[in-house]
Amino acid sequence: MSSDVHFTDFKSDKQPTWCPGCGDFGTMNGMMKALSETGNHPDETFLVAGIGCSGKIGTYMHSYALHGVHGRALPVGTGVKIANPDLEVMVAGGDGDGYSIGVGHFIHAVRRNVDMTYVVMDNRIYGLTKGQASPTSREDFETSTSPEGTNVPPVNPKALALSAGATFIAQSFSSDSQRHTELVRQAIEHDGFGFVNVYSPCVTFNDVDTYDYFRGSIVDLEDTDHDSGSFDQAKDRILDSDKEYIGVLYQDDDSVPYSEREGIEGSMADIPDGAPDGATDLVREFY
Amino acid sequence: MVLSEGTIPEHENVSPAVTVRGSRRLFAGRFEIFPIMHEDLNWAIGGEAGDGIDSTGKIFARALSRAGRHVYTSKDFASRIRGGYTAYKIRTAVEPVESVVDRLDVLIALTERTIDENLAELHEGSVIIYDGEQATMQGVDVPEEMIGLDVPLQRLAEDAGGAIMRNVVALGAACEVAAFPIENLDEALEKRFGDKGRAIVENNREAARLGQEYVRENYDHDFGYGLETTDNDYVLLNGDEAIGMGAIAAGCRFYAGYPITPATDIMEYLTGRIEQFGGAVVQAEDELAAINLALGAARAGARSMTGTSGPGIDLMSETFGLVATTETPLVIANVMRSGPSTGMPTKQGQEDLNMMLYGGHGEIPRFVLAPTTIAECFHKTIEAFNLAEKYQVPVYLTADLSMAVTERTYEPEEFDMDAVEIERGKVVDGGDVEEWLDDQGRFRAHAATEDGVSPRAFPGTTDGAHMTTGLEHDELGRRTEDEDVRVEQVQKRQRKVETAREREDFEPREFGDPNADTLVLTWGSNEGAIREAMAQLDEVSVRLLSVPYIHPRPDLTEAVEAAEDVLVVEANATGQFADLIEQDTLERVQRINKYTGVRFKADELAAEIRDAVAKTEVTQ
């Protein structure tokens, strides 16, 4: 079945309402390509979307999908994957969804290392509510809710992930279609929690973190001697605030995903039409 | 007369106060001689948290249960690991017991405070076992009319192999007082300490015998008890355990929760057991995650559950609406405790009824089930899963603290696994998914059917791929603000509740005299105490309707109209269930509310009911 899946099979018939030029178009296209290239099928894929502009992705893609409440996409995805490890699970959201209201879940999802992919469309702004500061906004970024800048340092999600025990951390840029697709693909193929932060510019409300800015400052780790198996090198790159690196920052090749660690096999949806065999032993325990 | 020196009262006819089941006598006369052996026993061990009170109590409860006696336990405990008064209480009889009473016959007091805390329940002839050699217990003041048994618990425990066994020495002493064959302790000690090795088990058995012998040799006295044993085999379990076992029986494979008193026992029960049936327990980072994890598992097709108490329900409210609007079957156990806010976390309360009925923004279709006994916790959990999947709604399954952490004996046949039936509702597979596709081949996950229930395709089902969303959506699960579609979807979701009302048997449990003038209505765990109160009320005939279905619920109009007095019993201050009854029946009811944090007791309820009926008679 998988060999004849084309990436457009993951596209729904709904036309995106994202602003023309929005980075999320490129982010989504890369996700669909990566899913089809890795042999997945819409009927065996589950997409969980957060709230925000990025969250609309659940409507524009075709697969089993849930568009949930703000900030809780990762727990939903975790539940789906644990209940049926045979499904390909992808969670998508934005910087507000993942690093502000949902940042607690982010840390714990990283720790659990469930075999799924988390794609964050990071535009460093709240777009859907028309331009307020986000957790990744720069300290001096002026918005309607931060007229003199936020005056607090931005969250560094890759550092959070690394310190929480991440097994795969990548950074991509939505407009570099080929590279972005490749990085999402690597995250899907990773045995564990594959985290991809995507620079996905907001052309309407963010005039600082623009396409031009990213094009001018991005350094591809492939053009460096970066060793993604090295925790120390990953740490140095992630904490380097002068550069915008893209590529795989860190990957633990010894990663053991949650279901394997816990010995979970097959779908939990299949149950007998009565109490399971051995249930009477549970009663005997209370003698 | 202070007996701390280890003397025995001269008069041999001091007798423990006993209520023979069904009798209205609460306290025995001071020197009254009972001609019969006292077969009921109200026993407790109390001390500081961390003293092993719970574990010791469970050993004795299990010993009684294994000896074929019925047991009902209760706990006084504080929300801390060490320090603070805590007690484990047991009521035991040959006949089933389903309530606590205001009476304590034998008390093992590890601290002086334990005696003070229980003065109201202790009576003439109550036996207090304590260790006068402990610095903290020297000069302890045993009330004159009671029997103080000063037993060197710690010294005897050391003789048996270690001071840690002092509680077991006390158990041996209690066996002697109650004339309960000590051999019955052996199996319970094996069960408790078996995994620690033979030597530990044997040492504990020895410790118990040393306690027994000490009392026999130093207090040559017939305390008037004779705890009869029977050949019956009972199981002993609490409400949380019954919910956990019911979940596994019902095919639940996924549980996510965040530890919270008094719901944690559900998660602890499932952990290590559900895995044997191919399931998993996830300890979530908070309740927001817990319900979303459970939602995810349910979307994947698993029978899924989360459990918490009031504060956790608050946090889950937003996702509760998502569960309902995405039509995801989910069981949410709410084991209630006292609120508001952190309230009294280790105290009884039934204060969340309105929250479960009305919580969450928007208009959310839901079911609320409230099992009324520990056994019903098992049965209603299974029913909750069936209802959740048949109607694709979130189901609140609510117990309360006094049921959740109370152990009770049952015949094992009460938990008949062969009788469990699983109904999964409108699940479509590869064969029939086609009839639910629209003309463009898209799966209609929220099809507005006649009964309101839509087809459900588990992920992995060929051609079943669909999205769903917390936004208002069309039958394909896609966002819409179209007025007609909005109305259609609101109606189809609400219609499911109406369909359930028509198809299901949401009946109350009925006890007592069906033609009585006095109607008592209740929900949750109060049923047992009311039934025992009814047994004490010879002069008042009572009809009891105990309601496990809060929403949708039975129509009680006829019963309420037929009765002269309608009394609604619940453990809250405002009478939330009483409000519902008044709203449903347009009749005024009387309210019996208790919100001290302590469960209803049979004798106090009998008095309340008697008073309420008497007042009506005076008015007339």
Side-chain angles (χ1 to χ4, degrees), chain B residues 118-180:
Chain B
N118 289 286
L119 278 179
E121 295 184 9
L122 290 163
H123 52 78
E124 286 187 37
S126 286
V127 176
I128 300 173
I129 298 168
Y130 66 99
D131 184 351
E133 291 182 4
Q134 298 307 303
T136 51
M137 295 299 283
Q138 273 164 17
V140 69
D141 188 20
V142 173
E144 198 172 323
E145 68 279 16
M146 299 173 198
I147 305 172
L149 298 190
D150 182 354
V151 182
L153 303 174
Q154 182 151 335
R155 183 153 53 80
L156 294 174
E158 282 163 1
D159 291 346
I164 195 166
M165 296 182 291
R166 66 171 176 164
N167 295 2
V168 178
V169 174
L171 284 183
C175 284
E176 178 64 16
V177 170
F180 180 62

Side-chain angles (χ1 to χ4, degrees), chain B residues 369-564:
Chain B
L369 265 58
T372 55
T373 66
I374 290 167
E376 280 293 294
C377 284
F378 173 80
H379 298 297
K380 286 289 174 286
T381 301
I382 296 166
E383 191 173 348
F385 278 101
N386 284 339
L387 289 172
E389 288 207 311
K390 281 159 76 178
Y391 299 99
Q392 298 169 17
V393 290
V395 179
Y396 275 127
L397 174 77
T398 187
D400 49 56
L401 182 135
S402 68
M403 181 157 58
V405 300
T406 291
E407 280 104 9
R408 189 187 148 177
T409 41
Y410 282 99
E411 306 272 354
E413 292 74 24
E414 179 70 37
F415 307 97
D416 180 5
M417 293 297 180
D418 293 332
V420 174
E421 286 177 22
I422 307 297
E423 298 170 85
R424 304 211 67 182
K426 286 191 194 168
V427 176
V428 299
D429 57 21
D432 46 8
V433 73
E434 206 168 319
E435 58 186 275
W436 293 103
L437 302 180
D438 73 355
D439 52 7
Q440 293 178 58
R442 300 172 300 191
F443 185 69
R444 298 161 59 218
H446 297 286
T449 57
E450 205 173 312
D451 62 5
V453 185
S454 307
R456 184 168 168 229
F458 298 154
T461 306
T462 304
D463 294 335
H466 63 273
M467 81 162 299
T468 187
T469 170
L471 291 161
E472 188 56 271
H473 42 259
D474 60 17
E475 63 175 11
L476 301 175
R478 304 184 312 180
R479 176 187 192 164
T480 185
E481 289 177 359
D482 180 284
E483 288 179 36
D484 293 338
V485 177
R486 155 75 177 175
V487 169
E488 184 180 61
Q489 286 292 317
V490 169
Q491 287 180 347
K492 72 90 72 181
R493 289 194 294 264
Q494 297 297 341
R495 197 153 64 238
K496 294 188 292 186
V497 180
E498 294 316 308
T499 300
R501 218 190 288 271
E502 285 160 20
R503 290 182 188 168
E504 306 291 333
D505 206 14
F506 295 132
E507 291 299 316
R509 289 154 63 84
E510 173 152 10
F511 305 95
D513 173 6
N515 299 313
D517 288 338
T518 304
L519 172 66
V520 175
L521 299 173
T522 194
W523 65 289
S525 70
N526 313 318
E527 178 188 299
I530 298 171
R531 288 185 63 192
E532 292 214 350
M534 286 159 66
Q536 294 180 22
L537 286 166
D538 289 344
E539 77 283 18
V540 184
S541 180
V542 172
R543 178 187 191 191
L544 168 63
L545 294 177
S546 173
V547 185
Y549 302 99
I550 308 298
H551 188 76
R553 61 186 164 273
D555 183 356
L556 300 174
T557 310
E558 231 171 87
V560 167
E561 282 177 353
E564 212 150 284

Side-chain angles (χ1 to χ4, degrees), chain A residues 1 12-14 41-46 51 56 58-70 72-84 87 101 104-106 108-109 112 258 262 264-287, chain B residues 62 66 191 233-237 241 245 248-251 253-254 269 273 277-286 288-289 292-293 295-297 299-303 318-319 322 326 328 412 415 417-418 420-422 424 440 442 457-471 478-479:
Chain A
M1 176 198 298
S12 82
D13 50 10
K14 274 267 186 186
H41 188 281
D43 283 337
E44 285 152 12
T45 300
F46 202 107
I51 292 281
K56 295 181 176 181
T59 310
Y60 309 144
M61 281 176 64
H62 175 64
S63 69
Y64 284 90
L66 182 121
H67 177 226
V69 299
H70 197 20
R72 319 294 165 213
L74 279 172
V76 175
T78 302
V80 171
K81 184 68 183 185
I82 292 174
N84 188 352
L87 297 173
I101 191 170
H105 306 310
F106 176 56
H108 294 282
R112 285 191 192 100
Y258 185 93
E262 301 292 325
I264 298 166
E265 283 171 13
S267 171
M268 293 180 186
D270 305 324
I271 57 168
D273 53 11
D277 289 344
T280 301
D281 292 341
L282 297 174
V283 184
R284 291 201 189 101
E285 274 188 60
F286 290 114
Y287 275 127
Chain B
R62 192 160 301 284
R66 294 306 292 140
K191 182 148 182 151
D233 278 325
Y234 297 131
V235 290
L236 178 73
L237 69 168
E241 290 167 333
M245 181 165 69
I248 292 179
R253 293 291 178 271
F254 188 90
Y269 173 83
R273 290 188 178 83
F277 298 90
V281 173
V282 178
Q283 182 172 327
E285 55 270 27
D286 52 39
L288 304 165
N292 279 282
L293 281 155
L295 163 65
R299 291 307 304 179
R303 284 200 154 188
E318 185 190 18
T319 300
L322 174 67
T326 57
T328 309
F415 307 97
M417 293 297 180
D418 293 332
V420 174
E421 286 177 22
I422 307 297
R424 304 211 67 182
Q440 293 178 58
R442 300 172 300 191
F458 298 154
T461 306
T462 304
D463 294 335
H466 63 273
M467 81 162 299
T468 187
T469 170
L471 291 161
R478 304 184 312 180
R479 176 187 192 164

